[in-house]
Amino acid sequence: EDQVTQSPEALRLQEGESSSLNCSYTVSGLRGLFWYRQDPGKGPEFLFTLYSAGEEKEKERLKATLTKKESFLHITAPKPEDSATYLCAVQYGGATNKLIFGTGTLLAVQP
Amino acid sequence: SAVISQKPSRDICQRGTSLTIQCQVDSQVTMMFWYRQQPGQSLTLIATANQGSEATYESGFVIDKFPISRPNLTFSTLTVSNMSPEDSSIYLCSVVQQGAGEQYFGPGTRLTVT
C-alpha cells in the first residue's frame, strides 16, 4: 500500500538544539517529495521540493535531504519561531499532481 | 507564488444544512484541488477541480456530498452538503501553477457542524 510515515509524532527541543525529522515513503515511481510547515489555524506553507535521491535543499535553519526510501528535515540551532507542524507529502505515479500527506511532526522549540 | 484566499474563514453550521466555500487565486493556475483536514489529522485529498468539466473525486468522496465548481482558471467552490458533525474539519484549496511542480495552499475554512 502506498503510504507516507513521519516520525516522531512530536518533538520538543531547547532553543539551539539541532535535530532531524523523518519522512519515509513506500510508493512506486516517486515524482517528488514536498515539505510544508503548518502553523495552527493556517494552511500549509511550502518549504521544499526534492525530486531525486541525493538531492538537498536549504532555507535558513532548515535543510531537506532525500534518499530512495526517506527524507530528512534537519533543523539547525532552532528558534522558538520554528515551532510548527511539519508535513511531508509525496507525488508519484501518473501525470497528476496529487499529493499524499504524512501525519506530520509537531515541533515545539522552547526558549 | 500565487496568493490564495478562501471564504468564509470559519463557520458554524447546523446539521442537515449545506455550506459553499469559495477559493480565489490572484493568477491563472492549471490545477486546483480541495483537501480536508480533520481534527488532529493530516490532509486528505477530496477532489481535483477541473476547469469547465466535472471534478475528479478520490475514493470515499462523492459528488452528491461535495459538489465542486470551477468556472474559470482563478476560482473554484466546494459545497459540503447535508452536513453532519463528522464533516467538522478544515477545508483547504490548493493550486499548481503552470510549469511548476509546487502546490500552494489557501488559508483554509474551519467548519464546525452542530
Side-chain angles (χ1 to χ4, degrees), chain A residues 65-78:
Chain A
T65 62
L66 181 65
T67 72
K68 289 186 177 179
K69 296 288 186 184
E70 59 191 347
S71 176
F72 291 94
L73 184 65
H74 307 278
I75 303 176
T76 302

Side-chain angles (χ1 to χ4, degrees), chain A residues 19-88:
Chain A
S19 188
S20 295
L21 314 181
N22 177 264
C23 172
S24 63
Y25 57 91
T26 53
V27 300
S28 301
L30 179 75
R31 296 176 56 224
L33 186 142
F34 301 76
W35 281 99
Y36 289 86
R37 169 191 171 129
Q38 186 173 28
D39 293 298
K42 296 189 177 181
E45 174 191 347
F46 172 78
L47 294 174
F48 304 108
T49 309
L50 302 167
Y51 292 104
S52 57
E55 189 174 359
E56 299 182 350
K57 296 246 177 106
E58 285 189 68
K59 179 180 179 181
E60 296 181 353
R61 295 176 293 281
L62 300 177
K63 178 180 176 181
T65 62
L66 181 65
T67 72
K68 289 186 177 179
K69 296 288 186 184
E70 59 191 347
S71 176
F72 291 94
L73 184 65
H74 307 278
I75 303 176
T76 302
K79 298 182 178 182
E81 52 263 41
D82 294 321
S83 298
T85 296
Y86 290 86
L87 300 167
C88 81

Side-chain angles (χ1 to χ4, degrees), chain A residues 36 44-47, chain B residues 1-4 93-97 100-106:
Chain A
Y36 289 86
E45 174 191 347
F46 172 78
L47 294 174
Chain B
S1 64
V3 176
I4 307 164
C93 72
S94 70
V95 305
V96 175
Q97 293 181 290
E102 294 83 18
Q103 195 165 131
Y104 295 94
F105 285 82

Side-chain angles (χ1 to χ4, degrees), chain B residues 4-11 19-24 34 75-78 91 93 107-110:
Chain B
I4 307 164
S5 60
Q6 286 185 232
K7 290 182 182 179
S9 58
R10 59 177 63 225
D11 207 340
L19 176 72
T20 296
I21 302 167
Q22 299 179 3
C23 178
Q24 179 74 54
W34 286 97
F75 185 79
S76 178
T77 66
L78 167 75
Y91 292 86
C93 72
T109 295
R110 182 179 294 271

